[in-house]
Amino acid sequence: MQFTEKSKQHIDSCRFCWMCHHVCPIGNATGLERNTARARALGLSMVARGAIEYSEDIINNVYECSLCGGCMKDCVTGWDPVMFTKEARLGAALDGKLPEYVMKMLENFAAKGNIYGTEKNPNIPVIGGGDILFYLGEDTRAKGCAKSAVELLKKAGVNFALLGDEPISGYSLDFLIGAAAETKAVMENCAKTLNNYKKVVCYDPADAKVMKREYKEYGVDLKAEVVTFTEFLADLVKSGALKVKKSDMKLTPQESPILARDLEELDSMREVLSACGELVEMLLNKKDTVLAGNLIMNEYMPEVMEKVAEGRWVNALNMDAKILVTACTAEYELLKKTKPEGVELMKIEEVLLKCL
Ligand code: SF4
Ligand code: SF4
């Protein structure tokens, strides 16, 4: 297993540091030291030095990270565990050492066009026309539902297209095997379709993140403007295309780490929710937000994912949240599964539909 000099430097800086262990949603869910950035770095530093093999246990540990960036955000010295963890995943792929559960998802992708191996959802309508593409993404098509979102866009009079054969953005492959040739090929294929539109509205922040960041980093030619669904909704409210009546709902945003940290989008969700009701902030919010769930990891560590979501519910209840609002399919699905009594869970589009 080869690491770049940059990764080796970050690994060596993290391996004896304890400073960010308290922010890791996975470490907090499992209570295990192995799930901290430091422990992962310690194992990888020995692999990088050739002192130990890139063993099954170390590779599994590399896949126990959600890449949420909580540690990186907390790091006052600017070291980046997400970067070296992704590089370690790419290394496992190149060395032919991917765990069975990752291989299974890649086989699903080859056979069915999505890592979950689901059949095409017949309930998703195909809508043609317009120069705006509403991009649902792999998580939503396989595991979620965007019915309310489609209804809302129609009510706002948006002329948009929804594809029957939507190409995969590359988010899942980037998560599983990083910057491999396969990931880049999938991204290039997707960009060809996206470039038929002026604007692409991504329902799931995960797809917006790869289109806005990794496409650029990997040299994928994307001409279409990419916006998040939350950003698009905030503009519809501001322009008056969605005429919102303020309600007495108390709304607490669960902002996904991808929106807050990777895309640095901190205002859109708050603007929408403030127009719809009273904004009640979450414990640990904005760039300090905590992951509430990841559907890819739910395929191979579902108990831990449930604990991650339960932890976020505890944070919400500590702030006396009445309605927790999400804008991310993975977080919504995991929060729904673990929802306690006496508190509501809504998607941002459901909140808006209630206030029209
Ligand atoms: S990311 Fe920063 S705080 Fe966390 S282990 Fe590495 S050096 Fe320490
Ligand atoms: S990226 Fe997130 S899950 Fe991974 S070590 Fe850092 S805080 Fe933990």
Side-chain angles (χ1 to χ4, degrees):
M1 164 74 202
Q2 297 286 320
F3 283 101
T4 57
E5 287 307 314
K6 191 177 170 194
S7 263
K8 279 190 207 161
Q9 197 189 10
H10 286 241
I11 287 170
D12 281 351
S13 304
C14 289
R15 70 191 165 133
F16 293 134
C17 171
W18 189 239
M19 298 300 283
C20 65
H21 74 283
H22 60 290
V23 303
C24 180
I26 311 300
N28 287 337
T30 62
L32 297 175
E33 193 189 336
R34 66 180 270 128
N35 294 129
T36 59
R38 179 196 88 95
R40 185 163 300 110
L42 191 56
L44 292 176
S45 73
M46 291 193 283
V47 173
R49 282 172 170 72
I52 58 170
E53 284 290 300
Y54 197 20
S55 66
E56 202 181 322
D57 190 41
I58 293 194
I59 294 170
N60 280 333
N61 181 248
V62 158
Y63 280 95
E64 288 162 14
C65 171
S66 72
L67 310 180
C68 74
C71 47
M72 203 175 90
K73 151 73 183 57
D74 205 57
C75 185
V76 288
T77 38
W79 302 111
D80 185 352
V82 171
M83 185 259 297
F84 66 70
T85 303
K86 281 183 77 176
E87 204 172 297
R89 291 181 185 184
L90 173 63
L94 295 177
D95 289 1
K97 289 190 165 182
L98 289 173
E100 221 172 274
Y101 49 86
V102 175
M103 285 306 294
K104 174 87 186 99
M105 286 188 269
L106 297 179
E107 281 160 23
N108 284 342
F109 185 79
K112 305 275 186 191
N114 71 81
I115 59 155
Y116 303 107
T118 55
E119 298 296 336
K120 203 167 170 179
N121 184 344
N123 298 322
I124 299 175
V126 178
I127 302 171
D131 50 20
I132 296 175
L133 173 66
F134 188 39
Y135 185 91
L136 296 189
E138 192 174 0
D139 275 6
T140 307
R141 285 182 180 261
K143 302 276 178 180
C145 172
K147 202 171 157 209
S148 305
V150 169
E151 186 188 338
L152 183 66
L153 292 183
K154 284 184 177 168
K155 287 205 168 159
V158 180
N159 184 17
F160 65 96
L162 193 62
L163 301 177
D165 52 354
E166 185 181 271
I168 297 296
S169 70
Y171 157 68
S172 58
L173 294 197
D174 190 55
F175 185 89
L176 292 172
I177 52 173
E182 292 86 339
T183 309
K184 291 180 200 169
V186 164
M187 289 176 171
E188 268 156 12
N189 178 55
C190 185
K192 273 188 216 152
T193 300
L194 304 183
N195 283 340
N196 292 328
Y197 299 87
K198 269 197 189 142
K199 188 181 274 198
V200 177
V201 179
C202 283
Y203 181 62
D204 194 325
D207 299 301
K209 181 194 94 108
V210 291
M211 289 175 195
K212 278 169 168 279
R213 286 190 8 172
E214 275 77 11
Y215 279 28
K216 217 175 270 174
E217 197 183 318
Y218 302 164
V220 175
D221 178 32
L222 179 62
K223 293 183 183 70
E225 181 198 1
V226 175
V227 296
T228 61
F229 185 49
T230 36
E231 207 179 343
F232 193 65
L233 291 181
D235 283 346
L236 291 176
V237 171
K238 260 185 261 171
S239 69
L242 282 173
K243 294 192 193 338
V244 176
K245 286 185 229 109
K246 201 166 176 118
S247 71
D248 58 4
M249 288 191 285
K250 287 184 172 29
L251 303 162
T252 299
Q254 159 56 23
E255 54 207 325
S256 87
I258 292 179
L259 270 187
R261 287 197 280 268
D262 293 309
L263 296 173
E264 299 187 323
E265 187 192 302
L266 303 174
D267 298 332
S268 302
M269 210 172 164
R270 284 182 175 78
E271 284 166 13
V272 171
L273 298 187
S274 301
C276 293
E278 183 190 334
L279 185 72
V280 180
E281 285 290 0
M282 180 65 150
L283 186 71
L284 297 171
N285 56 50
K286 300 187 177 168
K287 287 194 175 182
D288 292 324
T289 191
V290 180
L291 178 85
N294 176 304
L295 283 170
I296 303 177
M297 292 175 81
N298 194 49
E299 292 293 295
Y300 56 91
M301 40 198 299
E303 291 91 10
V304 175
M305 277 304 108
E306 281 192 22
K307 280 193 186 149
V308 164
E310 282 163 8
R312 208 49 180 145
W313 275 120
V314 171
N315 292 161
L317 294 177
N318 282 342
M319 300 309 281
D320 199 22
K322 304 290 180 224
I323 304 172
L324 191 61
V325 185
T326 72
C328 160
T329 296
E331 294 198 316
Y332 179 82
E333 295 302 322
L334 268 307
L335 286 167
K336 186 172 75 177
K337 214 167 159 190
T338 52
K339 191 182 86 57
E341 292 293 314
V343 59
E344 243 185 281
L345 175 68
M346 289 177 87
K347 298 175 185 174
I348 192 165
E349 60 269 27
E350 292 170 344
V351 173
L352 274 163
L353 281 171
K354 246 186 148 174
C355 293
L356 294 182

